[in-house]
Amino acid sequence: MGPGIVILFSLFGVLNGQGGKQMSIDECCKDGRDRGIDNQDCTALPLISESTTCRIVQEQCCATVLEDSICTNGINMAKDQGGCDTQFPGSTCETKTAKMCCDCCLLGRAAQEKGLPCDHSLSLGYQCGLVSRACCDDGAPDVKTNTLVPDKDNEALTGKDNPLLNECSNAKCAQECVGNGTCACFKGYKLKPDGKNCEGEWTGGGINPYPSNIDECESGTHNCAPDFMCQNTQGSFRCRPKNQCGDGYIQDALGSCIDINECLAQTGPCHPGQSCMNTVGSFTCQRNSVNCGRGYHLNDNGNRCVDIDECKGPDGECAGHGCINLVGSFRCECKIGFIFNSISRVCEDINECRHYPGRLCAHKCENAVGSYKCSCTQGFKLASDGRNCDDLNECESSPCSQECANVYGSYQCYCRRGYQLSDRDGINCEDIDECALPTGGHICSYRCHNTPGSFHCNCPATGYTLAPNGRSCQDVDECVTGTHTCSETESCFNVQGGFRCLSFECPPNYRRAGENRCERLLCNQTSECLASPLRITYYHLTFPTNIPVPTNVFRMGPSNTVPGDHVQIAIVGGNKGDFFGMQRVPSGGEMAVTRPITEPQDFELSLEMRLLRYGTTSTYLAKVLVFVVQEQPILPYNAIPE
C-alpha cells in the first residue's frame, strides 16, 4: 500500500464534516485565559473545538490577559521610577500599550499632587481614563497636621522650633552669631582663629590679655559729621557738636540749636496768679484773667467758676439715654446695645458683630442699631435659637431631574444608569449615546442603536445572529440548522456569513475511495498512466479577507518518511493573482497567503507532491477549494445597511 498524506491546517482552516465535542463559550474563554497566563502566542493556540466562535473567544480571552499584564507593567514603572523613558520589552504593540498605561498613570499622579480632581473631563481613551483615575486615587496622601508653635499665648519659639537658634546655640559664639553657625565680634574687636572668641588689636610688644579698645577717632574709622567732633569711648565712640548753644536753646542730633519751651520744661516758672508765655530763647509771665474751662461757667459775680449741670439742658445731651451730672462734666447711662464715648460725650451703637467676632452667630452676623441679627449661608436655615444654622434638605423641593442626594450645606444631583449629569446646570440628566462614545465602535460588533438610557445591537440580515451577550454577531451554520439550499447529491460547507454547496466527480481511470478522495485504477503500464497521480484528495478551506501575510493555511507531506526520500511540492493550478505560495518544510511543504486578499473570492488550487522513494517517483494531487469571505463589517453609528 502506497504512502499516505498528513494534512495540517492553520487557525483559519476548517475541516468539512468533522465531528467533535461541543465546547461552551466559558470553556473556550477559560482555555484562552490559561494559555495567556502561560504567555503563549494568542494567534497560534491549539484548537479545542472546530467551532469558529470558540476559536474567536479563545483568542480574545488570551489577548485580554496579556494586555492586562502589559498595562500593569507600565503602571508599576510609573509608580516605581516616576517616568516612562525606559525601553519596554516585547513587540511594538506591547511597548505601545505599556507606555500608554505608564503615561496615563503619571497623568493621574500629577493631578493628585496638584490637588486637581481625579475624575477629570479630559478626552482620554477609555483605558487611559481608567488608569489615570486609579493612579490618582491610589496616590492620595493621608492628611496630617503639625503644631508649629506652642499653644500658650505670646510664647516665643524655643531652640527646638527655631533652626537659627539651634545653630547659634551649637556655635557657642563669645559675642554675636550671624546664623549658619558663624560667629562675629562687636565693633572694635576681631574674631580669634578659633572662629568663636573675640580679642582686641595688638598692643606694645605683645597681646593684651584683655580685649583692648580701638580708638576710632585716632584711626579715622568714625562717621561723625563735619560739624561734630569725635570722642573715643571704651569699645566705641561719640560725636559731639563743635558749636555750643546759648541759654534758652538745646542742641539736636544734627548740631542745630532749638528753642526751649520753658513753660513746659520748667515747673511753675511764674508766680502764682500769673501765666507763662514762651518766647524765642526765653519766656514771659502775664497776670491771669478769669477763664472757666469746659464744664464750668462764671458765677453771677464773675469772680468764680461753677459747675454746669449738663443733664438739665433742653437739648438732652444723652439723646434719650440716662444722664448723670459730674463736677465739670457729665456721663450718659446708655441703653443696652450702646456704649458711652467719653470724647464725643454721646452714646454710640455697639457693633456686636465686630466686637464679638465668631461668638454671636454661627454663620453671618449683621449689625443693627442697638442690637444685631444672624443669618445663614446658602444651603442652611436659621435655627430656632436665632443664632445657629441647620442644614437645609434641598432634595425635599425636588431640584434634580432624576436622583438627589442631600449633603451638608448643599445637595448633589445624580443620574440613573445610561444617563449623565448635564455640564450646563448640574441638575438635568441627559441620555448617554453609548454608540457615539469613543469606545462605541467596540460596543457592538456590527451595528449599534442608541435608546433612552441604553442601546441595543443588530447583526446583518442574513448569515449572522446576535450572540447571547447581546453585542457580538455570530455566524449561523446553515449546514447544521438545515437552512441551506444544497441538493441531496451535494454536501453543505459552512462559511462565515453563508454556505457553499459542494460535489465532486472522480476523473476517468479513478475510483472514489472515501468522502473526499479518488484513487487511480491499475495502469496498463503506459507512460501517461504512470505519470498521473496515485491519489487525488479534495479539501475545503475558508477564511476572511485581509488576513495578515504571510499566513500558512495548508500543509502537505507524506504520512511517514523513509531515509533517502526526496519530496517536491508545487502549486500547479488555480493560483490566479499569485495570492498563494509554497515553501519547503522538513515534513513536506506549506502553502501560505503571500499577498493581501482584499475582496471575497473562491480559489480551486491544485497542489502536486512528487515523492522519490527507492528510485521510484510517485505523484499525489490535492484539490484545495479556498473560500475567502468578507470580514464581518462594522457599520458607523446610525448607518443604514444596503
Side-chain angles (χ1 to χ4, degrees):
M1 182 176 179
I5 301 175
V6 175
I7 307 298
L8 302 177
F9 295 93
S10 71
L11 292 177
F12 301 98
V14 179
L15 271 177
N16 179 33
Q18 286 186 341
K21 179 184 177 183
Q22 293 293 327
M23 307 294 292
S24 68
I25 296 297
D26 292 338
E27 290 174 329
C28 298
C29 182
K30 182 179 183 303
D31 181 80
R33 290 182 62 85
D34 291 342
R35 297 183 187 277
I37 294 173
D38 293 338
N39 290 321
Q40 296 186 22
D41 185 358
C42 295
T43 62
L45 299 178
L47 295 177
I48 62 174
S49 172
E50 70 277 7
S51 170
T52 303
T53 301
C54 182
R55 185 264 303 166
I56 295 174
V57 172
Q58 198 178 1
E59 284 187 13
Q60 295 304 318
C61 290
C62 174
T64 299
V65 171
L66 293 181
E67 185 176 358
D68 290 345
S69 176
I70 293 168
C71 185
T72 301
N73 292 338
I75 294 175
N76 290 336
M77 180 168 290
K79 292 182 178 179
D80 297 339
Q81 301 182 13
C84 305
D85 297 332
T86 305
Q87 183 67 32
F88 292 94
S91 64
T92 302
C93 183
E94 293 174 353
T95 300
K96 182 179 179 181
T97 299
K99 189 175 187 308
M100 181 273 291
C101 291
C102 182
D103 289 339
C104 295
C105 183
L106 290 181
L107 180 62
R109 292 171 73 88
Q112 183 275 321
E113 292 173 359
K114 295 181 180 180
L116 299 176
C118 294
D119 192 8
H120 52 70
S121 59
L122 297 177
S123 299
L124 305 175
Y126 181 72
Q127 186 177 15
C128 181
L130 292 179
V131 172
S132 175
R133 286 192 292 274
C135 289
C136 180
D137 293 334
D138 182 55
D142 295 333
V143 177
K144 295 182 179 179
T145 57
N146 295 323
T147 303
L148 298 181
V149 296
D151 292 335
K152 296 181 179 179
D153 295 336
N154 301 325
E155 182 172 346
L157 286 173
T158 64
K160 179 179 179 182
D161 299 312
N162 192 329
L164 180 60
L165 292 179
N166 283 335
E167 293 172 359
C168 290
S169 175
N170 295 333
K172 298 182 178 179
C173 299
Q175 292 187 2
E176 289 184 307
C177 175
V178 296
N180 297 327
T182 303
C183 298
C185 297
F186 299 135
K187 189 171 182 180
Y189 299 86
K190 66 179 180 179
L191 195 65
K192 284 188 175 183
D194 61 5
K196 296 182 179 180
N197 296 305
C198 299
E199 65 180 359
E201 296 294 334
W202 291 87
T203 60
I207 300 177
N208 190 343
Y210 302 100
S212 62
N213 175 52
I214 298 175
D215 191 342
E216 293 86 356
C217 300
E218 182 179 348
S219 63
T221 58
H222 63 84
N223 58 355
C224 295
D227 294 337
F228 289 78
M229 57 182 173
C230 177
Q231 179 182 358
N232 186 56
T233 62
Q234 184 67 26
S236 185
F237 64 93
R238 290 183 179 178
C239 296
R240 297 188 178 277
K242 295 179 179 179
N243 298 324
Q244 298 297 321
C245 296
D247 295 338
Y249 295 89
I250 190 173
Q251 212 157 22
D252 63 9
L254 299 179
S256 302
C257 294
I258 301 174
D259 173 56
I260 298 175
N261 189 341
E262 294 84 355
C263 297
L264 298 177
Q266 300 180 20
T267 303
C270 297
H271 296 292
Q274 294 180 331
S275 59
C276 177
M277 300 290 294
N278 184 61
T279 61
V280 177
S282 184
F283 67 98
T284 60
C285 294
Q286 296 180 355
R287 185 172 180 175
N288 292 331
S289 61
V290 178
N291 185 17
C292 297
R294 182 179 179 180
Y296 294 88
H297 63 87
L298 285 173
N299 60 3
D300 294 338
N301 296 327
N303 60 355
R304 185 166 60 90
C305 293
V306 295
D307 173 60
I308 299 176
D309 189 353
E310 293 87 353
C311 295
K312 290 183 178 180
D315 297 336
E317 295 290 343
C318 292
H321 298 273
C323 181
I324 299 176
N325 185 59
L326 301 175
V327 177
S329 181
F330 70 95
R331 179 170 59 84
C332 294
E333 288 287 342
C334 300
K335 300 177 181 178
I336 296 176
F338 294 85
I339 188 172
F340 182 68
N341 188 325
S342 59
I343 297 177
S344 62
R345 318 294 292 177
V346 296
C347 289
E348 296 179 346
D349 172 55
I350 298 175
N351 189 336
E352 294 87 352
C353 300
R354 185 180 300 172
H355 197 68
Y356 308 102
R359 295 169 56 185
L360 300 177
C361 301
H363 284 187
K364 295 188 294 185
C365 178
E366 183 180 352
N367 186 57
V369 178
S371 182
Y372 66 95
K373 62 180 179 178
C374 299
S375 60
C376 301
T377 57
Q378 186 176 2
F380 295 88
K381 61 182 179 180
L382 197 63
S384 57
D385 60 6
R387 297 178 56 187
N388 293 299
C389 294
D390 296 333
D391 176 50
L392 181 65
N393 189 351
E394 296 86 352
C395 294
E396 293 179 350
S397 61
S398 302
C400 303
S401 64
Q402 287 190 0
E403 304 295 336
C404 176
N406 184 58
V407 295
Y408 188 71
S410 183
Y411 67 97
Q412 178 65 49
C413 296
Y414 64 97
C415 303
R416 304 183 188 101
R417 184 176 182 181
Y419 294 87
Q420 62 183 0
L421 203 61
S422 172
D423 293 334
R424 296 187 301 272
D425 54 22
I427 295 176
N428 292 300
C429 293
E430 301 172 345
D431 173 53
I432 297 175
D433 190 347
E434 293 85 357
C435 302
L437 293 175
T439 58
H442 303 289
I443 293 179
C444 299
S445 63
Y446 180 63
R447 188 183 184 205
C448 177
H449 288 276
N450 185 60
T451 59
S454 185
F455 67 96
H456 67 267
C457 301
N458 282 347
C459 293
T462 59
Y464 294 91
T465 184
L466 194 63
N469 62 12
R471 299 187 179 188
S472 302
C473 292
Q474 61 186 20
D475 174 57
V476 176
D477 192 340
E478 294 85 354
C479 300
V480 174
T481 60
T483 57
H484 62 84
T485 58
C486 299
S487 65
E488 293 182 358
T489 60
E490 295 175 320
S491 61
C492 177
F493 180 72
N494 186 63
V495 297
Q496 188 77 17
F499 63 93
R500 296 287 191 276
C501 295
L502 305 176
S503 64
F504 73 94
E505 296 291 337
C506 293
N509 203 38
Y510 284 86
R511 68 177 180 85
R512 189 160 183 166
E515 294 183 357
N516 64 336
R517 188 170 65 246
C518 295
E519 292 185 352
R520 190 183 70 187
L521 300 176
L522 295 177
C523 282
N524 54 6
Q525 300 303 317
T526 63
S527 59
E528 181 180 358
C529 179
L530 293 174
S532 62
L534 286 174
R535 183 178 301 155
I536 302 175
T537 310
Y538 293 85
Y539 302 95
H540 313 109
L541 303 179
T542 180
F543 50 80
T545 57
N546 298 311
I547 65 172
V549 292
T551 298
N552 296 327
V553 295
F554 190 83
R555 181 178 294 176
M556 184 176 183
S559 58
N560 57 5
T561 58
V562 175
D565 281 354
H566 181 69
V567 179
Q568 290 183 339
I569 300 177
I571 301 175
V572 296
N575 191 13
K576 56 182 180 181
D578 295 329
F579 290 106
F580 300 90
M582 292 295 300
Q583 61 180 355
R584 284 273 307 178
V585 294
S587 58
E590 287 183 344
M591 182 177 70
V593 179
T594 57
R595 289 182 55 198
I597 304 176
T598 59
E599 298 293 334
Q601 52 189 303
D602 297 343
F603 297 89
E604 186 175 351
L605 301 171
S606 297
L607 278 65
E608 182 181 76
M609 182 179 75
R610 292 180 177 274
L611 174 62
L612 176 61
R613 178 177 290 178
Y614 304 133
T616 301
T617 300
S618 301
T619 304
Y620 301 89
L621 187 65
K623 292 285 189 177
V624 183
L625 293 178
V626 179
F627 306 110
V628 181
V629 296
Q630 179 65 49
E631 286 182 292
Q632 182 177 325
I634 299 177
L635 294 180
Y637 172 58
N638 283 337
I640 301 176
E642 297 179 355

